[in-house]
Amino acid sequence: MVLLVALGIAALAPVTQEPPTFTRDVASILFEHCVSCHREGGIGPFSLETYAGARERAGLMAAKTRARTMPPWLPDPGTEPFVGERRLPDEAIETLRWWADGGAPEGDPVALPAVPRFLSGWQLGEPDLVVTMSEPYVVPESGRDVFRSFVVPVPTEHDRFVEAMEFRPGNHEVVHHAVVLVDAVRSARHLDALDPGPGWAGMQAGLAESPDGHFLGWTPGKTSLEVPEGMTWRLPRGSDLVLQLHLLPRPDAAPVQVQVGFHFGEAPTRTSTRLRLGAKAMDIRAGEARYRIRDAYRLPVDVELVGLYPHAHYLGKEMRAWAEFEDGRRHPLLHIPDWDFNWQAEYRFARPVSLPAGAALAMEFSYDNSAANPRNPHDPPRRVLYGPESSDEMGDLWVQLVPKREADLAALKLDFARKETAARLTGYRFKLDRNPEDEKALFSLAGMLAALGEREVAIRHLEEAVRVRPDFALALSDLGRLHFLNGDVERAVGFFDRAIAASPAPPQAHHNLGTVRLAQRNPEDAEAHFRRALAEWPEFAEAHYGLGEALEARGESNDALRHYRRAASVKPDFALAHFRLGNLLAKEGGEEASISHYEAAIAAAPGFVPARFNRAAVLARQGKTDEAALALEQLLELEPDHREARELLSQIDLRTPRRR
Ligand code: HEC
């Protein structure tokens, strides 16, 4: 004990005497905190690996570190600690200042610590799978920062669980940061096809998502993205990655060709999810210096917070997030005093933060749309609305969390979905108030209203969208779908044909027309449409299911089985696909397998009575009368008037009277 204390004092003592030197005091600070970016071939505008490089900028370094603009790290201390904090200790800032004031002396070369080597190989050992951008991308020589997205297919034979992901930018000089999303249905490929050159401009991502609530972000100096203990994420078979890159223009830059390495592990023992707080309706008038948004969400179950991902564009200024307990106590989670879009990142708590059911998550962001905001993209300032482009604004706080009890996950997701639905409805209505001819908002609002059962209003919105843009294929396809649900097959087919005539034809339209043709007992035509939908989206679970039905109708059971299986493997909770699999297998003598598919169907949809009945019937056929009877009793609790179930139950009771 005594010895340790004495050493501690000894280690601090000498600095207080003579002015610091580069080799003894400064180099170790720069090597630890700066050279991951400020090195030959790094994204920093100069190298700080050598004395010469550092001496030239001694004053600037002192100023930037004092102002805490370097190293770039947005959160203030005083909340929960985060993994990989890039905050400089006060002593280091003081050392840099004193060194600059003292004329930036070099000192004894012998004292120089080793310059860190940035390993060119994989940091976590050879990955299980490596994928690479199919084409290199060359950044422009000059101009504004580039935001560009790329699809990278992941050739996997079955679903995998990812324990760690390594990101290698291919050119450290120009990749400022990256966000990685997973596109299980390959929905983003058409964005690539629409844009000449590798990838596409902007951050559109189709249906790609952050997997199981994990944020997969990369910034220089961070090599691997490892999941917290037991929280691997599912990489569905045949997924694409969508890489959203923030790139810096440089003359003569080497091409960017990102590589991603995966390390696979076991299925997760805990599944995380993510919630979004924030606003979808924003209207910031020109000159407004303190526009604010606030939001809160009361947790329905006990949770542990894993991390936060705040998001705003260039007008974002100050961000706060906190937890609020039922007794009114507040616990700060994040404070960013001066938001900078260019240095956005996700923040993972060093230790998960436990919150009980009843506590609320809350956030407040402020925005500066005045000319005094040096990052304002408009000069002079202009009215700015909510929107995805970086000249629009956004205000999201994504929260990654796990329920304390795995069994609470579904309840949490359902509860949150209600809040999210309300927020999205408000957002679309807000947009339409400002521009009634915003066809995308009309389309999206219609989709939500249709899902909420308001089919007629949805149809009116879609008709309006199609009036504004007559070749809006997705809106045409949805109009067809809603008319079909209304029983108006002829009109439905008319809209599907129009959707298919538009270019590119959306796979949904082929899928929907296939469904109509099935209902019209035309499996040949149906098959052709499902196949065209699948040619576009190979992992389109509903189209596999439809193709299975078409093939089954044509007596091709083996092929049908294959497509039902594909549907159920792409979407493990696809109850109908499991049901059909169960039926086909039962017919061909695969009784055990059929029962397990019926059980999967029931697990996904507990009220799915036909699956319950067929399971009971197969059990009875196998002579498992007790199990069959129990299954039938459970079914009758759900649907007391189910005649066949009553009959089967009484037959079982006649044959083998049971004791109750
Ligand atoms: C994560 C990457 C990264 C780290 C770590 C980093 N920098 Fe920087 N630095 C940059 C980039 C990029 C720029 C260019 C300006 C910008 O984008 O903010 C920059 C700019 C600077 C500038 C010039 C600012 C100006 O206005 O001309 C100084 C000085 C500087 N950094 C010093 C440091 C010091 C000292 C450290 C370590 C204590 C450090 N940086 C750590 C990326 C980094």
Side-chain angles (χ1 to χ4, degrees), residues 33-34 36-38 43 45-46 60-61 64 70-72 86 343:
H33 297 281
C34 317
S36 56
C37 298
H38 290 278
I43 63 159
F46 43 79
L60 197 55
M61 289 201 296
K64 292 290 164 184
M70 283 290 148
R86 271 200 301 242
W343 291 112

Side-chain angles (χ1 to χ4, degrees), residues 222-277:
K222 177 166 158 183
T223 43
S224 68
L225 305 163
E226 283 167 89
V227 301
E229 184 72 33
M231 281 174 43
T232 51
W233 52 268
R234 184 162 161 270
L235 177 66
R237 184 180 90 126
S239 295
D240 286 343
L241 296 184
V242 173
L243 309 178
Q244 299 181 315
L245 306 185
H246 172 181
L247 302 164
L248 305 174
R250 291 277 152 96
D252 302 322
V256 177
Q257 195 159 20
V258 174
Q259 281 196 314
V260 174
F262 291 100
H263 296 264
F264 297 128
E266 302 290 314
T269 51
R270 319 178 66 194
T271 312
S272 72
T273 183
R274 48 179 216 161
L275 313 178
R276 192 193 63 82
L277 272 69

Side-chain angles (χ1 to χ4, degrees), residues 25-84:
D25 310 295
V26 171
S28 61
I29 297 173
L30 305 186
F31 292 176
E32 184 180 346
H33 297 281
C34 317
V35 301
S36 56
C37 298
H38 290 278
R39 62 182 157 114
E40 284 311 317
I43 63 159
F46 43 79
S47 162
L48 294 174
E49 290 163 305
T50 61
Y51 171 59
R55 185 191 50 197
E56 202 181 314
R57 281 133 196 139
L60 197 55
M61 289 201 296
K64 292 290 164 184
T65 51
R66 184 107 171 250
R68 291 206 178 273
T69 42
M70 283 290 148
W73 180 254
L74 303 180
D76 254 5
T79 57
E80 295 285 335
F82 296 110
V83 174

